[in-house]
Amino acid sequence: MSEALVRGWIDSGLSPESITMTNRSDKVRLEQLRDELGVQIVDTEDVNAYDVVVLAMQPDGVLPYVRSQTWKSPLLVSVAAHIEPAELEAASGLPAVCAMPNTPVAFRDGMTGLWFGPETDESVRTTAIALFERVGRTAVTDAKTMSAFMAAAGCSPAFFYEIVGSMTPVLTEAGFDEATARQIVAQAMKGSAELLLHESRQTEELIADVAAPGGPTDRGVGVLRARDLSGVMSSALRESAKEDHEPVDTSIERV
Ligand SMILES: NC(=O)c1ccc[n+]([C@@H]2O[C@H](COP(=O)([O-])OP(=O)(O)OC[C@H]3O[C@@H](n4cnc5c(N)ncnc54)[C@H](OP(=O)(O)O)[C@@H]3O)[C@@H](O)[C@H]2O)c1
């Protein structure tokens, strides 16, 4: 995730020299990133030497790390799942933001949820929003909405790959190679997503725009509805959004 963010931020115009990365064990990878991206790297960081410190280790490492440092000035941002900003604020004594980006941030097409700690003020919020809007769109989240947000933004890439993967065989059977088939479906979906982002009308109306009654799109949509794609997708998202989950029953008959 840190690599995806840094790639996106550099592409957005942030100078690589203004970004410093570190890790604890894989120094070879860290040096590769310095050579490839032009970022600075350090072995032992002074967290107060930076305007913004982004923590991107696994969630169980975040609070121990925050407690191990003396925090004076930076804007503290964690991208770790299941950590709350108030916990970061209690451990650091600074205003903190929990950000939940997804991997398309690498291409500046991310969707990041921002959960502001109770100690944040307008200036901290504006800075955090600006930082993540460099690499996509943002939505303000909180304790109540974060799970649904994480499910929608974090799981959408996998859901999308599943959908694209299920459509490409129709194109390869028709004679396209795999890469072209993937490009056709993914680009068509990307364009549709772009149109959707500029629309306020209900999806039902947008479908009616492109699906003449009895025409090919309408017949295809009919199959999706007969097989309850809507029920399948909302069940998948509800499952991913569950906080305390039982093992999933995957024995559901594939349609
Ligand atoms: N992957 C996603 O799609 C995604 C989406 C949203 C949020 N997140 C969050 O992003 C975080 C990272 O996820 P990931 O998939 O990128 O995991 P990852 O591949 O395991 O990366 C974690 C990185 O943190 C480094 N690290 C661990 N402890 C450190 C410390 N004390 N100081 C400095 N660096 C440290 C690790 O390097 P060393 O082992 O070499 O130290 C490693 O490079 C997680 O908290 C996750 O919840 C991930």
Side-chain angles (χ1 to χ4, degrees):
M1 179 44 70
S2 51
E3 286 183 35
L5 279 169
V6 167
R7 284 176 197 281
W9 280 327
I10 292 173
D11 194 41
S12 78
L14 279 189
S15 103
E17 305 86 57
S18 69
I19 299 174
T20 302
M21 299 181 81
T22 190
N23 64 6
R24 286 296 169 266
S25 48
D26 193 349
K27 297 301 171 189
V28 172
R29 181 75 192 125
L30 195 58
E31 284 166 12
Q32 280 171 351
L33 286 169
R34 176 197 56 199
D35 296 344
E36 187 193 338
L37 303 175
V39 295
Q40 312 225 32
I41 59 173
V42 284
D43 268 342
T44 313
E45 65 282 3
D46 168 7
V47 291
N48 296 304
Y50 306 100
D51 295 329
V52 181
V53 171
V54 179
L55 303 176
M57 64 277 279
Q58 289 297 328
D60 60 358
V62 171
L63 291 174
Y65 178 83
V66 174
R67 290 189 192 108
S68 75
Q69 303 289 320
T70 304
W71 298 88
K72 292 185 185 146
S73 54
L75 166 56
L76 181 54
V77 179
S78 159
V79 300
H82 312 301
I83 302 284
E84 304 201 0
E87 296 177 288
L88 293 169
E89 292 183 343
S92 67
L94 286 181
V97 179
C98 285
M100 191 45 57
N102 60 1
T103 46
V105 290
F107 298 97
R108 303 182 61 206
D109 233 343
M111 183 66 233
T112 302
L114 293 172
W115 182 359
F116 300 115
E119 299 301 326
T120 57
D121 60 15
E122 202 49 41
S123 129
V124 164
R125 293 170 185 221
T126 305
T127 303
I129 290 170
L131 187 61
F132 284 91
E133 291 209 334
R134 283 177 164 274
V135 290
R137 294 175 186 248
T138 63
V140 174
T141 58
D142 56 23
K144 187 162 173 274
T145 55
M146 191 46 125
S147 294
F149 176 85
M150 278 172 63
C155 304
S156 280
F159 291 3
F160 175 67
Y161 304 147
E162 176 82 3
I163 290 168
V164 172
S166 67
M167 291 171 74
T168 51
V170 180
L171 283 95
T172 51
E173 281 157 25
F176 288 107
D177 61 64
E178 185 69 40
T180 309
R182 173 185 289 191
Q183 187 177 307
I184 291 168
V185 180
Q187 179 64 26
M189 294 235 174
K190 182 182 171 196
S192 314
E194 201 55 51
L195 285 178
L196 193 55
L197 287 168
H198 291 89
E199 274 284 358
S200 54
R201 290 181 296 152
Q202 297 289 313
T203 50
E204 192 70 30
E205 259 185 85
L206 299 175
I207 292 171
D209 269 0
V210 293
T217 308
D218 188 46
R219 296 200 309 278
V221 170
V223 173
L224 298 179
R225 289 183 176 162
R227 310 256 179 123
D228 193 24
L229 178 77
S230 162
V232 169
M233 294 303 294
S234 58
S235 300
L237 196 53
R238 282 183 211 290
E239 183 60 43
S240 295
K242 273 187 197 166
E243 289 197 335
D244 300 314
H245 55 87
E246 297 291 321
V248 187
D249 176 7
T250 51
S251 64
I252 302 162
E253 200 180 321
R254 286 185 81 99
V255 287

